[in-house]
Amino acid sequence: MRSHRLFSIATLFTLALTTVATTANAQSQTESTLPYIYSNYTFPSVRASVARHTLRLAIPSNSKSVSALNPTAPAGFKLNQKVAVFNNKTGESLPVTVSIAGQTVELSFNRVVEPGTAIDIELNNVSVWGTARYYDLAVKFASDNPTANDGRLQAANDRYINIGRTGLRLS
């Protein structure tokens, strides 16, 4: 009888601890100031040698404006200059300068991407071989003073901030 009571108390304690940990984790994700990938997919869905990879990026409303993105593909991907970036809600094409160096695509925006925006990054005609299916993503934020330097877009610093890895899922 006593062991049954001890088991019940241990179960309640475990459930309470799990609830507290889950709530803290959910709050930390919603309060993040860094952009994050909320969806991604590959087309065609079968293991094709050439594919389109789409990364959907959300920029939280409490984030700084984004001036550039830097997706890095694993060895085995051959990237193509055919990259398009769209506003997810309006479908508007965003003006972007594309530069490819090896496995890294640098996307420099002609105007900043404001907080509270979701964008779709389409990497077209990517040659794929090997088993790795992910992108590492880094972001560069815009300056807090957009009128500095004669009104030109100015990066807050010259370094990218790594925001994580996203695995590609087959649609």
Side-chain angles (χ1 to χ4, degrees), residues 10-75:
T11 302
L12 285 173
F13 179 73
T14 303
L15 287 173
L17 187 61
T18 302
T19 303
V20 169
T22 304
T23 304
N25 188 25
Q27 286 176 346
S28 69
Q29 287 180 348
T30 59
E31 295 172 3
S32 174
T33 60
L34 291 176
Y36 59 92
I37 298 289
Y38 67 90
S39 176
N40 62 70
Y41 60 90
T42 301
F43 181 81
S45 61
V46 296
R47 298 223 181 245
S49 61
V50 177
R52 179 183 69 224
H53 298 156
T54 303
L55 306 175
R56 291 188 168 164
L57 181 78
I59 302 167
S61 56
N62 57 348
S63 174
K64 292 182 182 180
S65 298
V66 172
S67 64
L69 292 171
N70 209 352
T72 302

Side-chain angles (χ1 to χ4, degrees), residues 18-160:
T18 302
T19 303
V20 169
T22 304
T23 304
N25 188 25
Q27 286 176 346
S28 69
Q29 287 180 348
T30 59
E31 295 172 3
S32 174
T33 60
L34 291 176
Y36 59 92
I37 298 289
Y38 67 90
S39 176
N40 62 70
Y41 60 90
T42 301
F43 181 81
S45 61
V46 296
R47 298 223 181 245
S49 61
V50 177
R52 179 183 69 224
H53 298 156
T54 303
L55 306 175
R56 291 188 168 164
L57 181 78
I59 302 167
S61 56
N62 57 348
S63 174
K64 292 182 182 180
S65 298
V66 172
S67 64
L69 292 171
N70 209 352
T72 302
F77 283 23
K78 184 175 181 204
L79 303 170
N80 190 311
Q81 285 288 125
K82 295 181 180 180
V83 177
V85 181
F86 300 96
N87 182 315
N88 183 271
K89 292 185 181 179
T90 64
E92 170 192 11
S93 179
L94 299 178
V96 65
T97 302
V98 178
S99 175
I100 296 179
Q103 300 306 110
T104 301
V105 179
E106 183 173 2
L107 304 172
S108 299
F109 295 102
N110 296 347
R111 62 177 193 249
V112 297
V113 180
E114 297 295 330
T117 305
I119 61 174
D120 293 349
I121 304 163
E122 289 185 355
L123 301 156
N124 296 298
N125 298 335
V126 177
S127 296
V128 180
W129 59 271
T131 58
R133 297 285 186 267
Y134 65 85
Y135 282 91
D136 290 321
L137 194 63
V139 65
K140 188 185 290 186
F141 293 108
S143 172
D144 292 333
N145 185 3
T147 59
N149 201 15
D150 299 328
R152 293 186 198 140
L153 180 64
Q154 181 178 347
N157 55 35
D158 288 339
R159 67 183 186 97
Y160 282 90

